[in-house]
Amino acid sequence: MSVPQQTFLRDAMRRLNMTREAFASRIGVSRRALDTWLLPAESAESRGMPEIVERFVNEILTRPADGQAAQSAYPGSGCPIQFEGRPQLLSVDQFSRESAEDLFRLADIMQPIARRQKISRVLEGAVLGNLFFEASTRTRVSFGAAFSRLGGSVCDTTGFTFSSMAKGESIYDTSRVMAGYVDAMVVRHPERGSVEEFARATNIPVINAGDGPGEHPSQALLDLYTIQREFSRIGKIVDGAHIAMVGDLKYGRTVHSLSKLLALYKNLRFTLISPPTLEMPAYIVEKLGERNHTVVQTTDLREGLRGADVVYATRIQKERFTDESFEGYTPDFQINQALVESVCGPDTMIMHPLPRDGRPGANDLSTDLNHDPRLAIFRQTDNGIPVRMAIFATLMGVENLVGRSMRDANWKSPAYIGVDDAVFHGID
Ligand code: CP
């Protein structure tokens, strides 16, 4: 044997992910015999392992046991969130209704950590690379906070100017280099499909934090999680709900991802309210129709909001405009307190992925709703933490360790984080 028998046996147990008890049973020897083989060679109790045992252990290591999958090139290949066999999240298309709800159950487990009552260190030692080549507040900081709250640490790079992409470095090279430094990457980039290029260059977890007008899957997941959580308090379910989406439905990647995710449910009514120049892309409208949802496209905000269970407002994505004008996006598209009072019910949730444009003439979601408990926007942003923790835990294979890993936090935080936070049917 080229290595000491103790090293050989310890390595075998580690590679097979087995306890001493399980390993002794697997190789058909008594636990006591194994213990004596594992004692330091200089110990008086130490015994030499028979050669036949060594041969058998080598055989187990090279031939997977019955029903045990051969080791994959990708450590996370058993992961429920996969892109081309790797533990990576690029699109909501990777989810079924069941797998989304499994993630939400894990997010529920994360809530005490997100609410600063508990601490977990399941990602201790792991490093996240947060690569944002486009402006962000929520997504960048909440992914970083989620990773940190699970015990990991975070390295950031923001914008092209301070990245070597400004010197012409390719996505492939950037991704491969980063993968040597960090254990997971979150990437936002202005071009559709660009995050997929990052993902294909590495086997480590990569998460799409927004690829131009393409997708924003973690935002859609936290939006749906918020809808489900609030509906459950008021006795509603997602099946059969009326969802009104308002604003820039053409370039708003959050509404693209959320529509596809909601399409996994049954018999929804979608009212899509926008100026004609900013309508929802046809492929998404068709997808909703194929799944037997009712879709109404209109420019009439007042009529479109009537009877809605959820009003999902969006910002005009001016940064993505090429030759279109946002002429037509008039004050008629602004959601404000007066409009909500006149056409929405007491249970209507008012959502927005944020940021909202608060500048004069922006006609975005009005701040005069800030005291209204129907305004769910900060409950949405708060839910970004448990949902993103659940994504990390799943992609990094520690989802089953979180529950047992928690201990009490030593510090105190306020019961209400925001000065205007209002309780909506018992939800704060
Ligand atoms: N909702 C969202 O993506 O916000 P940021 O652009 O601030 O990340």
Side-chain angles (χ1 to χ4, degrees):
M1 196 182 314
S2 57
V3 293
Q5 74 179 32
Q6 292 78 15
T7 308
F8 170 78
L9 288 169
R10 282 202 190 88
D11 182 57
M13 286 190 284
R14 184 183 53 74
R15 286 164 64 187
L16 294 167
N17 195 25
M18 284 182 173
T19 60
R20 276 194 192 196
E21 198 69 47
F23 183 65
S25 162
R26 177 76 184 87
I27 62 176
V29 302
S30 72
R31 167 69 193 270
R32 193 162 179 285
L34 178 62
D35 285 346
T36 60
W37 300 337
L38 280 161
L39 286 169
E42 57 276 18
S43 161
E45 306 291 313
S46 174
R47 297 286 179 274
M49 175 177 62
E51 203 185 316
I52 192 168
V53 176
E54 182 193 338
R55 278 210 303 274
F56 185 49
V57 172
N58 271 324
E59 197 181 314
I60 293 170
L61 291 174
T62 49
R63 176 176 55 81
D66 293 345
Q68 190 181 329
Q71 197 181 3
S72 162
Y74 312 132
S77 59
C79 177
I81 306 173
Q82 287 194 30
F83 171 72
E84 297 180 352
R86 305 176 186 93
Q88 299 175 332
L89 171 57
L90 298 173
S91 163
V92 292
D93 294 340
Q94 292 169 247
F95 282 88
S96 62
R97 177 173 173 161
E98 290 70 29
S99 63
E101 291 182 357
D102 284 346
L103 189 82
F104 298 160
R105 272 188 285 280
L106 185 55
D108 281 342
I109 293 171
M110 301 292 189
Q111 281 285 359
I113 309 173
R115 289 174 177 252
R116 303 130 205 225
Q117 295 148 353
K118 297 280 180 186
I119 292 171
S120 168
R121 315 300 297 166
V122 282
L123 291 184
E124 190 163 23
V127 179
L128 172 70
N130 229 356
L131 277 63
F132 278 70
F133 301 101
E134 226 186 23
S136 170
T137 297
R138 268 146 294 276
T139 314
R140 183 171 60 84
V141 177
S142 66
F143 266 120
F147 205 83
S148 302
R149 287 199 187 277
L150 289 176
S153 53
V154 183
C155 298
D156 268 301
T157 174
T158 310
F160 285 98
T161 317
F162 297 106
S163 131
S164 282
M165 281 193 162
K167 303 172 201 163
E169 189 165 41
S170 67
I171 287 180
Y172 180 92
D173 284 5
T174 306
S175 178
R176 173 60 190 88
V177 168
M178 287 299 298
Y181 303 155
V182 300
D183 303 290
M185 268 190 275
V186 173
V187 185
R188 174 173 285 187
H189 193 282
E191 279 161 37
R192 190 197 298 267
S194 52
V195 185
E196 260 187 48
E197 266 187 83
F198 274 91
R200 287 203 169 98
T202 175
N203 292 330
I204 70 166
V206 174
I207 299 170
N208 180 1
D211 59 330
E215 281 222 36
H216 195 345
S218 65
Q219 177 72 46
L221 287 161
L222 76 88
D223 290 339
L224 177 57
Y225 176 72
T226 304
I227 293 170
Q228 279 211 329
R229 208 173 152 77
E230 308 220 344
F231 271 17
S232 73
R233 297 282 181 101
I234 53 181
K236 291 183 182 177
I237 57 170
V238 179
D239 290 325
H242 178 185
I243 313 287
M245 294 181 168
V246 184
D248 182 353
L249 308 184
K250 179 174 181 178
Y251 292 113
R253 57 194 172 202
T254 63
V255 285
H256 302 167
S257 292
L258 181 58
S259 302
K260 291 199 285 177
L261 208 48
L262 283 166
L264 298 172
Y265 289 76
K266 292 189 189 130
N267 303 321
L268 274 78
R269 176 183 172 83
F270 289 89
T271 304
L272 307 176
I273 309 157
S274 68
T277 48
L278 297 177
E279 282 180 353
M280 184 72 91
Y283 79 93
I284 293 180
V285 175
E286 279 162 24
K287 193 173 181 108
L288 297 177
E290 281 163 17
R291 288 184 166 262
N292 297 321
H293 300 296
T294 305
V295 182
V296 175
Q297 291 180 277
T298 178
T299 56
D300 189 335
L301 180 64
R302 177 171 288 273
E303 284 312 307
L305 296 194
R306 279 190 204 284
D309 296 297
V310 174
V311 173
Y312 194 98
T314 61
R315 174 181 68 87
I316 294 277
Q317 309 272 306
K318 287 176 194 166
E319 65 273 29
R320 308 207 192 287
F321 279 45
T322 47
D323 48 358
E324 305 91 331
S325 129
F326 50 92
E327 203 176 312
Y329 202 78
T330 64
D332 293 345
F333 284 91
Q334 193 189 42
I335 297 170
N336 54 34
Q337 184 78 57
L339 180 67
V340 168
E341 284 307 330
S342 69
V343 293
C344 295
D347 288 345
T348 307
M349 289 172 63
I350 315 289
M351 302 179 74
H352 191 301
L354 300 184
R356 56 180 159 171
D357 189 341
R359 292 171 292 193
N363 302 325
D364 206 330
L365 180 65
S366 172
T367 53
D368 69 1
L369 280 158
N370 281 7
H371 295 270
D372 192 316
R374 289 172 287 189
L375 189 74
I377 56 176
F378 299 119
R379 300 192 294 272
Q380 263 176 285
T381 50
D382 290 349
N383 282 333
I385 297 287
V387 169
R388 289 179 170 128
M389 283 198 290
I391 292 170
F392 282 131
T394 305
L395 292 177
M396 301 191 73
V398 295
E399 66 270 42
N400 296 324
L401 302 179
V402 176
R404 320 183 234 136
S405 72
M406 286 191 215
R407 59 188 166 86
D408 290 342
N410 292 326
W411 74 96
K412 297 272 173 279
S413 53
Y416 294 95
I417 301 167
V419 290
D420 288 328
D421 284 5
V423 176
F424 176 65
H425 297 282
I427 309 160
D428 52 39

mmCIF file of all heavy atoms in Angstrom, residues 135-140 188 216 219 353-355, ligand 1:
data_model
loop_
_atom_site.group_PDB
_atom_site.id
_atom_site.type_symbol
_atom_site.label_atom_id
_atom_site.label_comp_id
_atom_site.label_asym_id
_atom_site.label_seq_id
_atom_site.Cartn_x
_atom_site.Cartn_y
_atom_site.Cartn_z
ATOM 1 N N ALA A 135 -26.811 48.615 -13.261
ATOM 2 C CA ALA A 135 -27.198 49.185 -11.964
ATOM 3 C C ALA A 135 -28.120 48.243 -11.186
ATOM 4 O O ALA A 135 -28.950 47.549 -11.770
ATOM 5 C CB ALA A 135 -27.909 50.508 -12.187
ATOM 6 N N SER A 136 -27.950 48.225 -9.883
ATOM 7 C CA SER A 136 -28.817 47.428 -9.008
ATOM 8 C C SER A 136 -28.631 47.878 -7.573
ATOM 9 O O SER A 136 -27.518 48.216 -7.161
ATOM 10 C CB SER A 136 -28.454 45.945 -9.112
ATOM 11 O OG SER A 136 -29.121 45.196 -8.112
ATOM 12 N N THR A 137 -29.709 47.883 -6.817
ATOM 13 C CA THR A 137 -29.609 48.047 -5.364
ATOM 14 C C THR A 137 -30.074 46.754 -4.699
ATOM 15 O O THR A 137 -29.318 46.070 -4.010
ATOM 16 C CB THR A 137 -30.482 49.236 -4.889
ATOM 17 O OG1 THR A 137 -29.983 50.416 -5.482
ATOM 18 C CG2 THR A 137 -30.450 49.369 -3.373
ATOM 19 N N ARG A 138 -31.363 46.402 -4.932
ATOM 20 C CA ARG A 138 -31.982 45.258 -4.263
ATOM 21 C C ARG A 138 -31.305 43.926 -4.541
ATOM 22 O O ARG A 138 -30.966 43.172 -3.627
ATOM 23 C CB ARG A 138 -33.436 45.073 -4.763
ATOM 24 C CG ARG A 138 -34.487 45.742 -4.020
ATOM 25 C CD ARG A 138 -35.553 46.153 -5.007
ATOM 26 N NE ARG A 138 -34.957 47.140 -5.871
ATOM 27 C CZ ARG A 138 -34.890 48.442 -5.560
ATOM 28 N NH1 ARG A 138 -35.465 48.866 -4.479
ATOM 29 N NH2 ARG A 138 -34.266 49.295 -6.336
ATOM 30 N N THR A 139 -31.182 43.621 -5.840
ATOM 31 C CA THR A 139 -30.758 42.272 -6.210
ATOM 32 C C THR A 139 -29.323 42.035 -5.736
ATOM 33 O O THR A 139 -29.012 40.996 -5.150
ATOM 34 C CB THR A 139 -30.882 42.089 -7.732
ATOM 35 O OG1 THR A 139 -32.152 42.606 -8.128
ATOM 36 C CG2 THR A 139 -30.786 40.645 -8.122
ATOM 37 N N ARG A 140 -28.464 43.028 -5.979
ATOM 38 C CA ARG A 140 -27.053 42.865 -5.610
ATOM 39 C C ARG A 140 -26.900 42.732 -4.093
ATOM 40 O O ARG A 140 -26.269 41.790 -3.593
ATOM 41 C CB ARG A 140 -26.240 44.061 -6.122
ATOM 42 C CG ARG A 140 -24.752 43.965 -5.862
ATOM 43 C CD ARG A 140 -23.999 45.071 -6.585
ATOM 44 N NE ARG A 140 -24.424 46.397 -6.166
ATOM 45 C CZ ARG A 140 -23.956 47.033 -5.093
ATOM 46 N NH1 ARG A 140 -23.052 46.473 -4.332
ATOM 47 N NH2 ARG A 140 -24.394 48.228 -4.781
ATOM 48 N N ARG A 188 -25.466 39.980 -13.212
ATOM 49 C CA ARG A 188 -26.405 40.839 -13.959
ATOM 50 C C ARG A 188 -25.636 41.466 -15.108
ATOM 51 O O ARG A 188 -24.519 41.954 -14.928
ATOM 52 C CB ARG A 188 -27.007 41.916 -13.070
ATOM 53 C CG ARG A 188 -27.861 42.891 -13.866
ATOM 54 C CD ARG A 188 -28.611 43.869 -13.006
ATOM 55 N NE ARG A 188 -29.739 43.250 -12.353
ATOM 56 C CZ ARG A 188 -30.645 43.922 -11.639
ATOM 57 N NH1 ARG A 188 -30.540 45.229 -11.490
ATOM 58 N NH2 ARG A 188 -31.648 43.287 -11.072
ATOM 59 N N HIS A 216 -35.468 37.548 -15.060
ATOM 60 C CA HIS A 216 -35.017 37.899 -13.712
ATOM 61 C C HIS A 216 -35.667 36.849 -12.787
ATOM 62 O O HIS A 216 -36.613 37.145 -12.051
ATOM 63 C CB HIS A 216 -35.487 39.318 -13.379
ATOM 64 C CG HIS A 216 -34.830 39.950 -12.193
ATOM 65 N ND1 HIS A 216 -34.100 39.241 -11.256
ATOM 66 C CD2 HIS A 216 -34.819 41.244 -11.777
ATOM 67 C CE1 HIS A 216 -33.657 40.083 -10.334
ATOM 68 N NE2 HIS A 216 -34.084 41.292 -10.628
ATOM 69 N N GLN A 219 -36.322 37.317 -8.943
ATOM 70 C CA GLN A 219 -37.356 38.319 -8.657
ATOM 71 C C GLN A 219 -38.742 37.677 -8.809
ATOM 72 O O GLN A 219 -39.621 37.861 -7.959
ATOM 73 C CB GLN A 219 -37.215 39.507 -9.612
ATOM 74 C CG GLN A 219 -38.290 40.568 -9.448
ATOM 75 C CD GLN A 219 -38.147 41.395 -8.165
ATOM 76 O OE1 GLN A 219 -37.065 41.833 -7.857
ATOM 77 N NE2 GLN A 219 -39.236 41.583 -7.431
ATOM 78 N N PRO A 353 -41.726 45.522 -8.656
ATOM 79 C CA PRO A 353 -40.417 44.930 -8.364
ATOM 80 C C PRO A 353 -39.435 45.949 -7.800
ATOM 81 O O PRO A 353 -38.423 45.590 -7.218
ATOM 82 C CB PRO A 353 -39.946 44.416 -9.729
ATOM 83 C CG PRO A 353 -40.662 45.275 -10.732
ATOM 84 C CD PRO A 353 -41.988 45.613 -10.105
ATOM 85 N N LEU A 354 -39.735 47.239 -8.011
ATOM 86 C CA LEU A 354 -38.842 48.351 -7.646
ATOM 87 C C LEU A 354 -37.526 48.240 -8.444
ATOM 88 O O LEU A 354 -37.162 47.147 -8.845
ATOM 89 C CB LEU A 354 -38.595 48.401 -6.144
ATOM 90 C CG LEU A 354 -39.841 48.576 -5.261
ATOM 91 C CD1 LEU A 354 -39.419 48.708 -3.787
ATOM 92 C CD2 LEU A 354 -40.666 49.791 -5.678
ATOM 93 N N PRO A 355 -36.792 49.320 -8.669
ATOM 94 C CA PRO A 355 -37.087 50.657 -8.170
ATOM 95 C C PRO A 355 -38.290 51.272 -8.872
ATOM 96 O O PRO A 355 -38.564 50.959 -10.027
ATOM 97 C CB PRO A 355 -35.813 51.429 -8.514
ATOM 98 C CG PRO A 355 -35.261 50.736 -9.724
ATOM 99 C CD PRO A 355 -35.587 49.285 -9.532
HETATM 100 N N1 CP B 1 -35.963 44.583 -8.560
HETATM 101 C C1 CP B 1 -34.693 44.781 -8.927
HETATM 102 O O1 CP B 1 -34.135 44.054 -9.747
HETATM 103 O O2 CP B 1 -34.096 45.848 -8.321
HETATM 104 P P1 CP B 1 -32.589 46.313 -8.562
HETATM 105 O O3 CP B 1 -32.480 46.768 -9.994
HETATM 106 O O4 CP B 1 -32.359 47.430 -7.585
HETATM 107 O O5 CP B 1 -31.706 45.139 -8.317
#
